[in-house]
Amino acid sequence: MSSSCCGAAGTTKALIIVDMQNDFCPGGSLGVNGGDKIISVINKYIEQFSAKNELVVFTRDWHPANHCSFKEYGGIWPSHCVAETKGAEFHKDIFVPENHVIVSKADTSSKDAYSGFDTTSLDSDLKKLSIGEVWVCGLATDYCVTSTVVDALELGYKVKLLVDAIAAVDVSAGDGEKAIARMVSLGAEVYKLK
Ligand code: VGL
Ligand code: ZN
């Protein structure tokens, strides 16, 4: 028997918090405007999930120092989220509930991974727990949030995109808004706290 207590298989949900790391917050090497302003909202979602003992997933970019996405190694980004450094740590104000898992991604030099599902155990972890719905927030809207949402939809999850708890890099103005439109067109449902 499944250890899930409530409802039919596939109806349990999880909260996925994407890359709320120092380097993606203002002051970090790839700081996203407003990346810190969403923390208090994210904490409300975390409290909501943890009150029902629902799983909270924290993804993190966890790069080696010579990662291929870094400019000095042929990529497009400044060095960021190098494993075991301050920049890769979660922002100190994010509440970490008891029922959580941490999913590290893009942790080898030759491969990047924007999605929390890319080359990780996240899909099997969720399926083992009969989780069929994910609520997604974090950084950045136009990169890792989008990739995570697109993969979740492809893998058959129902997806709620928490639009009051995401922020975009906006390399070009409007990238974040375009990304939201794309996620919605693929089946994500927009949600925000009142
Ligand atoms: C991300 C750029 C490079 C993200 C990660 O978390 O959105 N963006 N690596
Ligand atoms: Zn990265």
Side-chain angles (χ1 to χ4, degrees):
M1 257 313 277
S2 146
S3 60
S4 163
C5 70
C6 322
T11 61
T12 309
K13 64 190 202 289
L15 177 63
I16 301 179
I17 297 160
V18 176
D19 298 6
M20 284 304 299
Q21 296 165 273
N22 289 325
D23 272 343
F24 293 126
C25 291
S29 65
L30 192 35
V32 176
N33 276 332
D36 52 346
K37 302 237 171 71
I38 61 175
I39 291 171
S40 61
V41 185
I42 291 177
N43 282 339
K44 286 185 187 154
Y45 286 112
I46 294 171
E47 274 158 29
Q48 193 176 303
F49 274 67
S50 66
K52 295 194 229 161
N53 200 34
E54 289 170 321
L55 182 67
V56 176
V57 176
F58 294 93
T59 72
R60 65 182 179 187
D61 232 16
W62 200 245
H63 298 319
N66 62 347
H67 192 251
C68 62
S69 76
F70 299 169
K71 282 177 185 153
E72 32 322 12
Y73 298 95
I76 61 169
W77 303 113
S79 171
H80 63 278
C81 296
V82 173
E84 312 291 355
T85 65
K86 192 83 195 166
E89 285 176 15
F90 293 119
H91 190 287
K92 64 172 177 38
D93 295 337
I94 289 279
F95 170 60
V96 180
E98 200 173 317
N99 189 12
H100 79 274
V101 291
I102 293 173
V103 173
S104 303
K105 62 184 170 63
D107 58 354
T108 61
S109 59
S110 60
K111 190 188 176 306
D112 205 1
Y114 287 154
S115 164
F117 291 97
D118 190 349
T119 337
T120 71
S121 63
L122 182 53
D123 182 44
S124 64
D125 293 346
L126 296 178
K127 290 201 164 127
K128 264 180 224 153
L129 296 167
S130 300
I131 289 165
E133 176 173 335
V134 291
W135 293 27
V136 183
C137 61
L139 299 171
T141 308
D142 34 0
Y143 293 95
C144 290
V145 170
T146 295
S147 293
T148 301
V149 164
V150 168
D151 279 356
L153 290 165
E154 265 174 21
L155 290 164
Y157 295 91
K158 185 176 172 191
V159 178
K160 277 198 169 54
L161 175 66
L162 309 179
V163 288
D164 51 358
I166 54 177
V169 178
D170 279 337
V171 168
S172 298
D175 282 355
E177 287 306 317
K178 277 186 206 148
I180 292 172
R182 177 167 168 237
M183 289 183 264
V184 168
S185 76
L186 293 172
E189 194 182 313
V190 161
Y191 184 90
K192 59 183 167 190
L193 297 173
K194 273 147 283 212

